[in-house]
Amino acid sequence: MNIVIVNGSPRANSRTKKLNQIILKKHDLKYIDLSEMEIPFFDGTDEQKHNIHVVNWMDAIENAEAVIFTTPEYHGGMSGLLKNATDFLGSKHLKDKPVAIIATAGGGKGGINALNNLRIVLRSLYANVIAKQIVIDPNDFISDESNLSNEIHLSIDEVINQLKKQVNVENMLI
Ligand SMILES: Cc1cc2nc3c(=O)[nH]c(=O)nc-3n(C[C@H](O)[C@H](O)[C@H](O)COP(=O)(O)O)c2cc1C
């Protein structure tokens, strides 16, 4: 199954990126790291539609059967990197597609605003964002941030299982 996970953090020593790497060790997913893609700032010109990074991004999301978007919470919202990347997408890339969202936060009850922000943006792209969502706090990481707590692993497993079930239902309906 073609499930894509997207790292939406621009930071070099990013916890969101570490989260992605931990998930990829356990689950067979395709990986898009927006911090390495050099997607330009969206300016609405046709020229950008031929930019190789933009084309790769749009194709990967369009061809995915399901997508997991991961973002840090920055000042109560998703990262600018991820928001800019979503501006290149339209409903043809995400309409009715099963999507999950995960936020990496600073602790102190952060993360929910980034999730709500991302959910609204994805809803406007007609994605089918599943109800279960996850906030990862710094203390959810263990072993020098090379792994996550068991509780978080179980939540991630559940999210991925839900996405797979949704994809199977969609395929039965076609
Ligand atoms: C510019 C900036 C703004 C932040 N704003 C918030 C915030 O509003 N809420 C929160 O919980 N954490 C906030 N944090 C903390 C980050 O969410 C936290 O460090 C998280 O691990 C960042 O993910 P990253 O390591 O992928 O950048 C902020 C961090 C930065 C750099």
Side-chain angles (χ1 to χ4, degrees), residues 12 18 22 24 29 33 37 40-41 45 58 65 67 69 73-74 100 118 131-132 135 139 147 149-150 162 167:
K18 288 176 188 165
I22 295 164
L24 286 163
L29 309 173
D33 185 349
M37 283 191 76
F41 281 114
T45 58
M58 293 193 299
E65 291 175 279
V67 185
F69 288 96
E73 176 161 297
Y74 288 161
L118 182 52
K132 186 167 174 62
V135 171
N139 62 11
N147 209 341
S149 70
N150 213 28
Q162 283 190 19
V167 171

Side-chain angles (χ1 to χ4, degrees), residues 7-18 71-77 79 103-114 135-138 141 145:
N7 169 35
S9 175
R11 273 205 327 129
N13 188 28
S14 158
R15 278 196 202 96
T16 314
K17 191 168 185 156
K18 288 176 188 165
T71 182
E73 176 161 297
Y74 288 161
H75 302 320
S79 69
T104 312
K109 299 191 166 58
I112 191 70
N113 289 314
V135 171
I136 312 284
D137 285 332
F141 286 90
E145 300 193 338

Side-chain angles (χ1 to χ4, degrees), residues 2-122:
N2 177 1
I3 302 180
V4 169
I5 187 163
V6 178
N7 169 35
S9 175
R11 273 205 327 129
N13 188 28
S14 158
R15 278 196 202 96
T16 314
K17 191 168 185 156
K18 288 176 188 165
L19 162 76
N20 278 256
Q21 284 158 353
I22 295 164
I23 294 174
L24 286 163
K25 274 189 206 157
K26 189 170 175 195
H27 297 276
D28 184 20
L29 309 173
K30 289 192 179 162
Y31 182 44
I32 298 180
D33 185 349
L34 288 175
S35 72
E36 291 185 357
M37 283 191 76
E38 296 173 34
I39 291 174
F41 281 114
F42 177 78
D43 69 6
T45 58
D46 283 345
E47 197 186 321
Q48 284 192 334
K49 290 182 186 155
H50 306 292
N51 175 296
I52 186 67
H53 300 284
V54 173
V55 170
N56 287 344
W57 164 243
M58 293 193 299
D59 285 353
I61 298 299
E62 187 170 4
N63 294 331
E65 291 175 279
V67 185
I68 303 169
F69 288 96
T70 68
T71 182
E73 176 161 297
Y74 288 161
H75 302 320
M78 75 175 89
S79 69
L81 179 74
L82 180 56
K83 179 61 178 71
N84 181 60
T86 64
D87 291 342
F88 286 95
L89 303 176
S91 58
K92 80 164 184 165
H93 302 100
L94 282 166
K95 188 170 187 306
D96 298 333
K97 194 163 288 186
V99 164
I101 53 177
I102 303 177
T104 312
K109 299 191 166 58
I112 191 70
N113 289 314
L115 290 174
N116 287 337
N117 177 218
L118 182 52
R119 184 174 288 276
I120 288 169
V121 169
L122 292 168

